[in-house]
Amino acid sequence: MYKGKFLSAVITAAGSGTRMGSSINKPYLEVGGKKILELSIETVTSIKEFDEIILVAREEDFPLASEILSLFRDPRIKMVAGGKSREESTYKGLCALNPDSDLVLSHDGVRPFASRGLFLRVLEEIMTYKAAIAATKSKDTVKVVNEAGEVDFTPNRDFVYNIQTPQAFDTRLIKKLYQNYFKSEAKITDDSQLFEFFDRKEPVKVVEGEYSNIKITTAEDIIFAKAYIRGEK
């Protein structure tokens, strides 16, 4: 329980990882002697306030995922099969939650360096807001271009953020917004975007994230991850 509310976590690790160019799906690649997904689960399970933890994985990866889960032997963890898209996989995780769930935190299984402190800062904000997300200020100037690849305008960098996970939500509301989403033609790239399409009256709170909280997507990210772990040690 978190401040009297039933707290759930959904860890998504059901992507295909085609951009990595590896025969092994990216959550199961090793960095610093541990699997990427293992590092993510390690942080989530360290937070005792979670009443349940749902791991969403590709069905063909169940043996690899089960091997990792055997290291933790945490009775709060349940594994479910993902869908054809990131959104379907997240929704499958939401559907697997206990009916008593009040709050849910979602996290990408291939963001292994999100600190425990970041999770707790996001959870703190969900007591005030219906949605809270981790994000970092953009270090670069961002240009918005048109279909011809020509610059349209430059947004003020002070208000441009790179969105991360963890993200936390009111459980019933995020499930309802996903149901609306699947009936629409909208396309989202993160869960909090559902509020932009379907519930503008509820503000999404941005929590200062961590530049080290990278999403491991390409081979170059593996190089960074190994260097980061060496630096931590």
Side-chain angles (χ1 to χ4, degrees):
M1 300 290 281
Y2 183 74
K3 300 186 178 182
K5 293 182 179 290
F6 191 106
L7 179 62
S8 308
V10 173
I11 303 173
T12 51
S16 59
T18 52
R19 283 179 286 178
M20 182 61 71
S22 169
S23 58
I24 302 172
N25 199 8
K26 58 189 177 182
Y28 310 101
L29 293 173
E30 226 175 74
V31 289
K34 292 184 178 180
K35 304 286 196 303
I36 291 168
L37 180 58
E38 181 184 343
L39 290 167
S40 298
I41 293 175
E42 202 171 69
T43 304
V44 174
T45 55
S46 76
I47 300 171
K48 300 307 177 188
E49 288 85 352
F50 283 120
D51 295 289
E52 63 177 346
I53 300 166
I54 308 297
L55 173 63
V56 186
R58 297 195 308 176
E59 208 156 354
E60 55 264 47
D61 290 333
F62 272 19
L64 290 169
S66 296
E67 192 177 312
I68 291 172
L69 294 184
S70 69
L71 301 173
F72 296 93
R73 298 185 180 181
D74 192 320
R76 295 175 297 170
I77 304 176
K78 181 169 76 173
M79 185 162 59
V80 299
K84 294 178 181 177
S85 66
R86 186 201 65 81
E87 303 95 285
E88 284 184 27
S89 294
T90 301
Y91 186 62
K92 280 177 175 271
L94 293 173
C95 289
L97 297 180
N98 188 304
D100 293 331
S101 177
D102 296 304
L103 306 172
V104 60
L105 179 143
S106 65
H107 187 58
D108 196 321
V110 290
R111 286 188 184 270
F113 303 131
S115 72
R116 188 174 187 274
L118 178 57
F119 279 85
L120 294 175
R121 291 198 301 276
V122 171
L123 288 174
E124 184 67 32
E125 293 296 344
I126 201 62
M127 300 308 296
T128 305
Y129 294 86
K130 298 288 187 183
I133 63 175
T136 54
K137 270 193 173 184
S138 176
K139 293 180 178 180
D140 301 315
T141 296
V142 175
K143 301 284 187 181
V144 176
V145 303
N146 60 23
E147 292 179 357
E150 301 159 344
V151 172
D152 186 9
F153 69 96
T154 305
N156 185 334
R157 192 169 63 184
D158 290 340
F159 303 105
V160 176
Y161 280 75
N162 298 313
I163 304 307
Q164 305 178 334
T165 66
Q167 301 186 357
F169 306 99
D170 176 277
T171 302
R172 291 164 186 82
L173 180 54
I174 194 69
K175 285 177 75 173
K176 177 187 172 186
L177 295 185
Y178 255 116
Q179 288 160 7
N180 292 339
Y181 172 72
F182 289 122
K183 297 172 188 173
S184 75
E185 297 297 318
K187 181 64 181 172
I188 63 170
T189 53
D190 83 305
D191 296 334
S192 70
Q193 203 174 354
L194 290 167
F195 287 78
E196 297 170 42
F197 281 114
F198 306 110
D199 197 347
R200 295 290 299 189
K201 73 178 188 297
E202 288 291 349
V204 176
K205 177 63 175 177
V206 171
V207 176
E208 194 63 41
E210 299 163 341
Y211 289 107
S212 56
N213 180 21
I214 64 164
K215 182 179 180 181
I216 297 181
T217 306
T218 65
E220 288 79 10
D221 296 329
I222 292 288
I223 295 169
F224 174 87
K226 289 178 178 178
Y228 178 77
I229 289 173
R230 283 198 300 271
E232 285 286 286
K233 287 180 180 177

